[in-house]
Amino acid sequence: MKKRNVQKGEITIESGTAINQKERIATKNLKNGALMVLKNIPSLRTITIGIGVKVGSINEKEGEYGISHLIEHTVFKGTKSFSSSEIKRKIEKFGGIINAFTSEEYTLFESKVPDFAARESFDVLFELVNSPLFPEKEIESEKKVVLEEIAMYEDDPAALSEENLLKSIWGDTEYGRPIAGKAESVRKITKDQIEAFFNNHYVAGNMIAVLIGNLSAIDLDYVEEKMASIKSSKLQNLKLDPHPLDPVIKIVEKSDLNQANGSIGIPSAPRGDKMSYALSVISTILGSGMSSILFDKLREKLGLVYSISSSNQSHSFCGEFTINFSTSLQNTGKALNEIKKVLNELPEEISKQLEYGKKKVKGRLLMSTESTLATMYMIVDDYFTIGKIREIDEISENIDAVKEEDVMKAFERYMKRKWTLSFVGPRGLSKFFNKCEFVVNHNGN
């Protein structure tokens, strides 16, 4: 088999070839459209396996909201070869872990096991994405579990504040709707809908299999053969052009709360935009860790908040830059004003802390590579959001390339505007937002 052209830092796998390039990413496109990604780390005695499917809440139409997440739950209720209890026991009997999650853009099934259990682990994950049974009784049972999960998030003030923020930014659209759906939509999903949605999206061209660890312990030809057996299908490339709503203030008051949880945010750059690197550096300087500007000023110096952090989340077609914090009812207005001051003074602070921020981003990136699960998440996320897999060196080089003019441009383009606010807190919270307008205008009031 001929080797194909690959990106910097990657190698190509040939069938039957031993993987001996230590700790490099190896990729192979299979004929049915599936992708295999391997990272050999011979010093480990474990193997982390993930099978990702390019389907999430943004793929859902009216009448299907929450179906991607419900499928992620329901496949664990039994497959062609394994009962519900066997699925877990086959992994956990070796001390391994098995899990799954659904995002806006993809669903990921994962396990981490001792290397001698790698084949059994792969077999379980493979059946979850290839041959689930979807028993009707179990679908109804799992709906109840999902409804409890939805209720749990609605009872969590921090989670509800963040969810309301995204809905306030994007409205009732692909990126504004909750991933788990709403209770009323989940209740109405049928077995026929689940099977049709699964058959349309759980196809080879939407799948990636990632194996990281001591790969000499598993027959890679066997993995390739199984992945190559997944049905291929003509894919419909989703193209979205999200348009944010005008900024608003969303307040939810609950009588059983003592603290106010705030989420403020703006739309930002998609993952493929190089501006996302500058935004990551800004977010790190602004609100990542105890040495960040927001933590140091609002918690350490002023004592106005218990927790505060910032994040820049990038997707395929858009992104959000957010600040989340918790504070007492009486300090809500003061905390918000101080955050606004910090943001208005941010360009001067960034110019002072740019190199510090870049080193911090790269350092955390390098530390994350010591976790095989974190590395697997990064690989899957890259593949499904930007269509390629970046080596750590490539990401580091892009962080190094961020210049002061880049962060200033990012500030002007994304942050210097009116922000959307979302709060969940005790009764009386609304009074702090009378005639409130959160505008960042650099050295403004």
Side-chain angles (χ1 to χ4, degrees), residues 284-310 338-339 342 349 353 356 360:
T284 298
I285 294 170
L286 181 64
S288 176
M290 292 189 290
S291 62
S292 66
I293 298 171
L294 286 172
F295 192 96
D296 181 63
K297 183 171 184 181
L298 272 84
R299 172 163 165 157
E300 299 297 284
K301 291 179 179 174
L302 299 176
L304 290 176
V305 299
Y306 172 71
S307 64
I308 188 164
S309 62
S310 63
E338 290 300 329
I339 292 171
V342 168
E349 288 297 324
Q353 299 195 40
Y356 167 82
K360 191 171 180 179

Side-chain angles (χ1 to χ4, degrees), residues 7-257:
Q7 298 157 9
K8 180 181 178 182
E10 297 181 1
I11 60 173
T12 299
I13 311 166
E14 294 184 22
S15 182
T17 300
I19 307 302
N20 53 22
Q21 290 88 343
K22 291 186 179 180
E23 301 191 25
R24 306 296 291 180
I25 292 175
T27 65
K28 184 172 186 179
N29 284 313
L30 306 184
K31 289 182 179 180
N32 61 350
L35 181 71
M36 279 179 60
V37 181
L38 308 180
K39 187 166 186 178
N40 188 37
I41 310 178
S43 59
L44 296 183
R45 288 302 313 274
T46 61
I47 291 186
T48 294
I49 304 175
I51 300 182
V53 188
K54 191 177 183 180
V55 61
S57 57
I58 66 170
N59 299 94
E60 299 165 358
K61 300 180 176 65
E62 188 172 353
E64 299 175 336
Y65 300 150
I67 195 170
S68 299
H69 178 248
L70 181 57
I71 286 174
E72 174 231 308
H73 276 244
T74 312
V75 297
F76 281 88
K77 289 300 183 177
T79 68
K80 184 178 178 181
S81 303
F82 306 122
S83 67
S84 178
S85 60
E86 285 176 328
I87 287 170
K88 292 93 168 177
R89 288 182 65 84
K90 275 195 162 290
I91 306 298
E92 293 183 352
K93 71 180 180 181
F94 299 113
I97 57 172
I98 181 169
N99 207 346
F101 68 83
T102 306
S103 72
E104 294 93 343
E105 300 186 345
Y106 58 88
T107 305
L108 179 63
F109 301 88
E110 62 186 46
S111 70
K112 183 173 182 177
V113 293
D115 54 12
F116 58 80
R119 177 159 173 163
E120 290 188 67
S121 173
F122 172 78
D123 284 342
V124 169
L125 295 185
F126 177 79
E127 289 234 348
L128 292 178
V129 302
N130 192 60
S131 54
L133 297 179
F134 297 123
E136 189 146 14
K137 182 180 178 181
E138 297 292 358
I139 290 173
E140 294 307 311
S141 173
E142 203 60 27
K143 280 185 186 181
K144 295 176 184 178
V145 175
V146 171
L147 292 175
E148 292 295 335
E149 184 178 349
I150 291 171
M152 178 186 70
Y153 288 125
E154 290 178 347
D155 285 345
D156 182 338
L160 182 58
S161 177
E162 292 180 45
E163 183 177 296
N164 286 343
L165 177 69
L166 294 179
K167 187 166 186 178
S168 296
I169 292 175
W170 301 114
D172 189 23
T173 63
E174 290 85 358
Y175 288 100
R177 291 190 292 267
I179 293 168
K182 288 292 185 181
E184 57 271 22
S185 64
V186 172
R187 288 191 187 99
K188 294 177 182 178
I189 294 172
T190 66
K191 174 181 171 71
D192 287 344
Q193 282 181 296
I194 286 175
E195 290 181 338
F197 194 88
F198 180 89
N199 289 333
N200 284 337
H201 294 284
Y202 278 63
V203 294
N206 279 340
M207 289 196 192
I208 178 174
V210 182
L211 290 84
I212 303 174
N214 179 23
L215 301 187
S216 64
I218 188 168
D219 182 350
L220 296 177
D221 286 342
Y222 173 77
V223 174
E224 179 179 338
E225 180 183 343
K226 298 291 282 187
M227 292 302 298
S229 71
I230 298 173
K231 68 176 180 180
S232 58
S233 178
K234 186 176 181 181
L235 298 177
Q236 296 178 345
N237 289 323
L238 189 65
K239 292 185 179 179
L240 301 177
D241 185 18
H243 292 281
L245 304 179
D246 292 335
V248 296
I249 301 173
K250 172 73 174 177
I251 309 294
V252 175
E253 294 183 349
K254 295 191 173 188
S255 58
D256 59 340
L257 296 179

